[in-house]
Amino acid sequence: MFVNICRAVAIFGGFLLLVITAIVVVSVSGRALVPLGLAPIPGDFELVEISTALAVFCFLPWCQLKGGHVTVDVLSAVLGRRIEAWLSMIYNICMTGIAVLIAWRLWDGMIDMQTYSETTFILQIPVWWAYAGCLPLALLFVLVSAWTVLRDLREALAAGQDASAEAGR
């Protein structure tokens, strides 16, 4: 279930990066070609800023699901599958805590931006819209992180059973 959702969200994040690239190219070209009657895109940096935030949150669940976050695997080969699974579970518990913290602060920031009616400078886009767009992605990140904890717990318990079965032979 999570795999398809996270993959689709990550692909959407990749599409956003393509849109960001197009905005920058068109806007920079417009600046360079002002003598020919072209102009930069008004508020281009605001659009890039909002789209980049959305893209980052699109990639977080996929990265967590695939174990793409940075880990230190110096002793992995020596420790064995069971201990490695337990360590992975501990890392994912920490990541779940961080994901919850991010989602909570994003929610709190969104409420502040709504309360004070803050808008972007040029396009006058309400800033809370960007927060609201990122919030469901942050919640997906929390759910995926919690799911990876359960996945690693199952793997650690299965590795423990495999080790006991081999010891009994």
Side-chain angles (χ1 to χ4, degrees), residues 2 6 60-65 69 88-100 102 137-152:
F2 281 127
C6 292
L60 286 173
W62 181 254
C63 187
Q64 178 65 19
L65 187 67
H69 294 291
S88 182
M89 186 185 76
I90 291 168
Y91 299 151
N92 286 327
I93 288 171
C94 293
M95 186 56 79
T96 302
I98 291 167
V100 167
I102 289 170
L137 301 168
L139 294 174
L140 179 61
F141 181 37
V142 169
L143 291 174
V144 169
S145 296
W147 184 82
T148 59
V149 170
L150 296 175
R151 178 187 67 188
D152 288 340

Side-chain angles (χ1 to χ4, degrees), residues 8-165:
V9 168
I11 289 169
F12 178 71
F15 172 75
L16 281 175
L17 290 181
L18 292 174
V19 170
I20 292 167
T21 303
I23 289 171
V24 170
V25 168
V26 168
S27 195
V28 169
S29 299
R31 284 186 183 89
L33 301 174
V34 168
L36 300 175
L38 296 176
I41 298 173
D44 58 345
F45 63 92
E46 296 170 351
L47 295 171
V48 167
E49 194 173 60
I50 292 168
S51 299
T52 301
L54 281 169
V56 166
F57 277 96
C58 284
F59 296 134
L60 286 173
W62 181 254
C63 187
Q64 178 65 19
L65 187 67
K66 294 298 180 177
H69 294 291
V70 176
T71 58
V72 180
D73 297 331
V74 176
L75 300 174
S76 292
V78 179
L79 296 177
R81 185 174 154 236
R82 184 171 140 212
I83 294 175
E84 189 175 338
W86 284 107
L87 286 175
S88 182
M89 186 185 76
I90 291 168
Y91 299 151
N92 286 327
I93 288 171
C94 293
M95 186 56 79
T96 302
I98 291 167
V100 167
L101 179 67
I102 289 170
W104 167 51
R105 298 312 301 157
L106 197 58
W107 170 261
D108 201 38
M110 182 185 73
I111 298 301
D112 276 351
M113 293 298 140
Q114 276 183 313
T115 302
Y116 297 111
S117 302
E118 189 168 330
T119 61
T120 61
F121 183 68
I122 294 174
L123 298 177
Q124 297 297 301
I125 299 170
V127 175
W128 74 268
W129 289 2
Y131 284 75
C134 292
L135 191 58
L137 301 168
L139 294 174
L140 179 61
F141 181 37
V142 169
L143 291 174
V144 169
S145 296
W147 184 82
T148 59
V149 170
L150 296 175
R151 178 187 67 188
D152 288 340
L153 176 61
R154 281 192 305 253
E155 186 178 327
L157 293 174
Q161 290 174 351
D162 291 347
S164 323

